């Protein structure tokens, strides 16, 4: 492998950090985070080692769905700043070597968006069919709703016209009609605008829901059928023409076989990166069972992709921790282990908790989990606060329980704001509050979780074989252990993770080792390990132990 190849596709070795502007830093003391505050913390992100900042929506919004109900796709929420503040943030990130991608919601708008306000004037309005309308009464769609706590149908009747409009999410978020060429052109213009300002790509929200006209009876469809994959291909082509290094990170929560199609054909010409929802859910099942085999099974099923495509690994995102790909019995196992109380669960399919509380604050398990995430083939994604072990606040309703104010120091509002107004979403109290869990106390402590995450990031960035590797599970007899090797060209790294609460002896064979190879521990001090004949390796893993072992040889010129 030529090391310079890693510069051509930055997303293959990126470390992505997802942050919500309104909960990160409040610069003006009004209790709401803002873009100038985010800019003040760019050096913090650079110090941690982040290479890509993913910004959750910062657009003007009706604010009924935490910013995902957008009223102007070209604007900036005045609570958060101005377009000038966006440019300042982008410029500052660029100077520190950090790329920025932004949430792009092309599935729907707010019902207060001028387009929809105009569309409701009547069937003859030019904007009417920017949305999906039907004249006939819809069937029962209660099993299709995404938010069963608030909706019982994906159709809502407009009293003025007597017609129904489609909303796969909340009724205040009518679906845009991508079958309409005018809508597709507007989406391209919007993307072009943000690319011109300096973003490096988009996190594309709710990809499987984009193709809404399929919900209509055939006789009520107004536009020719179009291929959604052809459309994603055209978007990828368009963004690449505008900015050659741009990337599309897609939210596609589907079984692997269906998910693979959204990468595109042999050349990987649709979504650039996709979240591995199936692998994430298998991690939680494996942790609940203290048994690595569910994860090994999922990883073996993960499809191979084109060289330009990538999987994104994560343990927690900004939504409920969905477990919808597990069986009912498997999901109940995870609920019992990590969220046994009803108020910890959401929609009967997920959890509204963060990892440290689910693992009872056990640093051994927490560190094993993050070591695992960073070692898996793909690109790691952190949700803000994970680096210090932030917890959820279950007093905050719904999914917002995990989107509380960032905990910077032990001051009354956790350093989130210097003003007198409390954060709109308060951090948890007690053992998980800012006086116990914060950046300031951990950043200078070499034994802290923050320091451990920083070390993982550094080692990941020094090991491009992780991002460029396919899945290669190593056979060994201990059911609690996942052993895998990340390999690309002449570079390789062996990772071992014990999901069990007891020490375990690991005996594994590492195939295709070069002559005179030895193994160097990337995370902890120790003498190099000399494998036995046939690449045999034997060692002891502590309870929840983890090792990253780089394969080195006299020909390897990399620094340790």
């Amino acid at each position: 492998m030529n090391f310079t190849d890693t510069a051509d596709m930055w997303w293959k070795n990126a470390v992505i950090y997802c942050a919500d502007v309104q909960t990160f830093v409040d610069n003006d003391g009004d209790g709401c985070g803002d873009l100038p505050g985010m800019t003040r913390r760019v050096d913090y992100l650079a110090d941690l080692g982040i290479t890509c900042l993913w910004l959750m929506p910062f657009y003007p919004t009706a604010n009924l769905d935490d910013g995902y109900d957008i009223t102007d796709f070209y604007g900036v929420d005045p609570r958060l700043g101005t377009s000038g503040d966006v440019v300042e943030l982008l410029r500052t990130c660029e100077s520190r070597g950090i790329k920025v991608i932004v949430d792009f919601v092309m599935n729907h708008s707010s019902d207060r968006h001028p387009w929809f306000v105009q569309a409701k004037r009547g069937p003859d309005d030019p904007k009417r069919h920017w949305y999906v309308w039907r004249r006939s009464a819809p069937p029962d769609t209660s099993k299709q709703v995404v938010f069963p706590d608030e909706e019982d149908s994906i159709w809502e009747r407009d009293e003025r016209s007597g017609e129904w409009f489609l909303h796969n999410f909340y009724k205040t978020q009518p679906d845009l009609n991508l079958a309409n060429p005018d809508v597709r052109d507007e989406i391209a213009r919007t993307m072009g605008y943000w690319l011109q300002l300096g973003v490096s790509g988009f996190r594309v929200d709710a990809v499987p829901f984009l193709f809404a006209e399929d919900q209509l009876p055939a006789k009520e469809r107004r536009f020719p059928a179009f291929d959604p994959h052809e459309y994603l291909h055209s978007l990828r082509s368009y963004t690449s023409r505008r900015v050659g290094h741009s990337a599309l990170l897609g939210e596609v929560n589907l079984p692997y076989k269906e998910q693979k199609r959204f990468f595109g054909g042999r050349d990987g010409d649709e979504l650039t990166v996709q979240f591995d929802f199936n692998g994430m859910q298998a991690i939680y099942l494996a942790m609940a069972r203290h048994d690595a085999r569910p994860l090994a099974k999922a990883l073996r099923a993960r499809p191979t992709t084109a060289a330009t495509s990538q999987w994104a690994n994560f343990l927690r995102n900004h939504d409920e921790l969905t477990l919808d790909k597990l069986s009912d019995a498997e999901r109940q196992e995870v609920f019992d282990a990590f969220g046994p109380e009803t108020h910890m669960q959401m929609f009967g399919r997920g959890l509204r908790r963060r990892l440290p509380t689910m693992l009872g604050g056990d640093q051994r398990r927490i560190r094993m989990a993050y070591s695992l995430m960073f070692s898996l083939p793909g690109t790691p994604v952190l949700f803000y606060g994970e680096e210090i072990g932030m917890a959820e606040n279950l007093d905050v309703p719904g999914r917002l329980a995990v989107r509380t104010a960032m905990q910077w120091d032990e001051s009354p509002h956790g350093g989130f704001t210097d003003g007198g107004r409390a954060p709109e979403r308060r951090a948890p109290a007690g053992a998980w509050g800012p006086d116990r869990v914060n950046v300031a106390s951990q950043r200078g402590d070499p034994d802290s979780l923050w320091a451990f995450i920083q070390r993982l990031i550094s080692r990941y960035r020094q090991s491009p074989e992780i991002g460029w590797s396919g899945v290669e599970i190593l056979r060994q007899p201990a059911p609690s252990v996942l052993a895998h090797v990340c390999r690309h060209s002449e570079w390789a790294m062996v990772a071992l993770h014990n999901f069990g609460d007891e020490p375990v002896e690991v005996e594994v064979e590492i195939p295709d080792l070069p002559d005179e190879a030895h193994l160097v521990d990337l995370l902890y001090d120790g003498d190099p390990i000399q494998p036995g004949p046939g690449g045999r390796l034997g060692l002891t893993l502590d309870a929840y132990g983890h090792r990253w072992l780089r394969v080195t040889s006299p020909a390897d010129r990399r620094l340790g």
Side-chain angles (χ1 to χ4, degrees):
M1 179 179 182
N2 188 333
F3 192 81
T4 57
D5 291 344
T6 63
D8 294 335
M9 290 171 271
W10 61 265
W11 55 86
K12 297 281 284 190
N13 288 101
V15 179
I16 301 174
Y17 188 96
C18 173
D20 187 347
V21 173
Q22 65 177 318
T23 58
F24 206 60
V25 185
D26 172 20
N27 190 64
D28 59 12
D30 66 354
C32 178
D34 46 49
L35 289 158
M38 179 69 72
T39 304
R40 281 172 48 194
R41 291 291 189 256
V42 169
D43 280 335
Y44 165 79
L45 298 176
D47 185 30
L48 185 59
I50 300 307
T51 65
C52 177
L53 173 61
W54 156 24
L55 293 176
M56 290 171 62
F58 52 81
Y59 314 102
T61 173
N63 209 29
L64 299 176
D65 186 22
D66 200 30
Y68 285 87
D69 49 335
I70 297 168
T71 58
D72 178 4
F73 290 96
Y74 294 95
V76 175
D77 186 336
R79 298 175 306 149
L80 309 182
T82 66
S83 56
D85 293 325
V86 173
V87 172
E88 290 298 303
L89 173 59
L90 295 173
R91 180 68 178 169
T92 305
C93 285
E94 181 184 30
S95 73
R96 306 308 196 270
I98 298 174
K99 290 182 167 56
V100 178
I101 62 175
V102 297
D103 246 310
F104 194 78
V105 185
M106 67 173 79
N107 169 259
H108 56 262
S109 74
S110 167
D111 61 354
R112 301 181 195 176
H113 194 293
W115 299 340
F116 191 69
V117 172
Q118 184 176 337
K120 289 181 71 175
R121 292 175 183 170
D124 297 326
D125 190 275
K127 288 289 190 293
R128 181 71 166 191
H129 296 289
W130 280 44
Y131 297 87
V132 181
W133 296 84
R134 64 181 298 156
R135 295 182 298 276
S136 58
D140 177 13
T141 56
S142 57
K143 292 184 178 180
Q144 294 176 252
V145 299
V146 175
F147 303 122
D149 59 332
E150 294 195 31
E151 304 292 347
D152 57 13
S153 174
I154 62 172
W155 294 95
E156 181 69 11
R157 190 171 187 271
D158 172 45
E159 296 300 328
R160 180 172 181 174
S161 66
E163 295 186 354
W164 286 262
F165 64 85
L166 181 68
H167 60 91
N168 272 295
F169 296 94
Y170 295 111
K171 62 173 65 73
T172 54
Q173 295 168 316
D175 278 30
L176 288 162
N177 189 353
L178 269 74
N180 185 335
D182 291 340
V183 174
R184 299 200 297 272
D185 288 346
E186 185 64 23
I187 286 171
R189 274 191 293 272
T190 306
M191 285 183 153
Y193 172 79
W194 292 108
L195 288 168
Q196 192 67 30
L197 283 188
V199 307
S200 294
F202 305 91
R203 178 263 185 186
V204 186
D205 186 56
V207 174
F209 293 96
L210 295 179
F211 312 107
E213 202 180 52
D214 290 347
Q215 298 282 354
L216 284 174
K219 64 182 180 182
E220 295 196 51
R221 298 180 188 178
R222 298 180 58 89
F223 301 100
F226 81 110
D227 184 341
H229 295 284
E230 211 171 88
Y231 176 59
L232 284 174
H233 168 74
S234 70
L235 276 185
R236 174 77 176 275
S237 178
Y238 171 80
T239 56
S240 295
R241 289 197 308 272
R242 290 296 178 97
V243 174
H245 66 258
S246 61
L248 300 178
L249 169 60
E251 181 191 32
V252 185
N253 183 13
L254 292 173
Y256 277 138
K257 185 176 180 180
E258 298 173 54
Q259 193 175 6
K260 182 179 180 180
R261 297 180 60 208
F262 285 91
F263 278 121
R266 188 174 300 173
D267 297 326
D269 53 6
E270 293 183 29
L271 294 173
T272 321
V273 186
Q274 291 189 56
F275 293 103
D276 186 358
F277 282 94
N278 296 275
M280 177 275 292
Q281 295 177 52
I283 289 174
Y284 280 93
L285 181 60
M287 288 197 295
R289 291 179 174 177
H290 300 276
D291 185 337
R293 288 175 293 185
L295 177 58
K297 179 180 178 181
L299 290 172
R300 288 188 178 106
R302 181 198 268 189
T304 56
T305 64
T308 56
S309 302
Q310 182 63 304
W311 292 101
N313 300 311
F314 67 106
L315 293 174
R316 152 51 68 201
N317 63 11
H318 59 293
D319 280 325
E320 78 276 6
L321 187 75
T322 184
L323 303 168
D324 65 330
K325 296 297 176 289
L326 302 181
S327 69
D328 290 345
E330 291 169 339
R331 189 179 309 113
Q332 191 58 52
E333 286 184 70
V334 179
F335 282 166
D336 291 343
F338 302 133
E341 299 177 34
T342 304
H343 72 289
M344 299 173 175
Q345 304 166 13
M346 283 204 75
F347 313 132
R349 64 172 185 252
L351 291 163
R352 60 190 203 102
R353 308 192 74 194
R354 282 181 177 253
L355 180 73
T357 50
M358 287 192 279
L359 298 182
D362 187 334
Q363 283 292 318
R364 300 171 305 166
R365 298 188 78 184
I366 293 167
R367 294 180 189 219
M368 186 281 290
Y370 284 114
S371 169
L372 173 71
M373 183 188 82
F374 275 90
S375 76
L376 292 176
T379 293
V381 182
L382 287 169
F383 185 50
Y384 77 94
E386 283 192 277
E387 70 273 25
I388 57 171
M390 265 177 60
E392 73 283 353
N393 182 356
L394 293 174
D395 292 333
V396 177
R399 296 173 296 159
L400 302 184
V402 301
R403 305 182 199 175
T404 54
M406 181 66 177
Q407 298 170 201
W408 295 103
D409 60 37
E410 61 182 15
S411 62
H413 299 314
F416 168 77
T417 180
D418 296 329
R421 295 184 62 178
E424 294 178 357
R425 277 180 236 139
R426 292 175 184 266
W432 301 100
D435 57 329
R436 306 281 187 87
V437 179
N438 63 71
V439 171
S441 65
Q442 292 193 31
R443 203 172 175 196
D445 179 359
D447 297 321
S448 69
L449 179 62
W450 190 94
F452 180 71
I453 297 294
Q454 186 191 47
R455 189 187 320 149
L456 287 175
I457 292 173
S458 174
R459 291 310 198 184
Y460 172 85
R461 291 179 61 183
Q462 294 166 16
S463 306
E465 61 266 35
I466 302 176
W468 287 72
S469 178
V471 173
E472 186 178 344
I473 306 296
L474 300 178
R475 294 188 181 279
Q476 50 79 40
S480 67
V481 173
L482 180 77
H484 71 279
V485 59
C486 295
R487 196 193 307 267
H488 192 79
S489 188
E490 73 274 17
W491 296 347
M493 186 200 78
V494 178
L496 304 166
H497 291 85
N498 181 14
F499 287 72
D501 57 3
E502 298 287 343
V504 63
E505 297 292 327
V506 179
E507 298 284 342
V508 65
E509 287 189 8
I510 308 167
D512 304 320
L513 288 183
D515 293 338
E516 302 180 49
H518 58 276
L519 305 175
V520 175
D521 197 317
L522 294 182
L523 298 182
Y524 303 103
D525 294 334
D527 294 330
I529 301 171
Q530 188 72 42
R536 285 194 295 274
L537 172 66
L539 51 75
T540 301
L541 280 180
D542 293 336
Y544 309 118
H546 49 274
R547 303 286 292 275
W548 289 22
L549 303 174
R550 173 178 287 168
V551 177
T552 64
S553 69
D556 192 341
R557 300 177 61 86
R558 288 192 291 179
L559 297 175

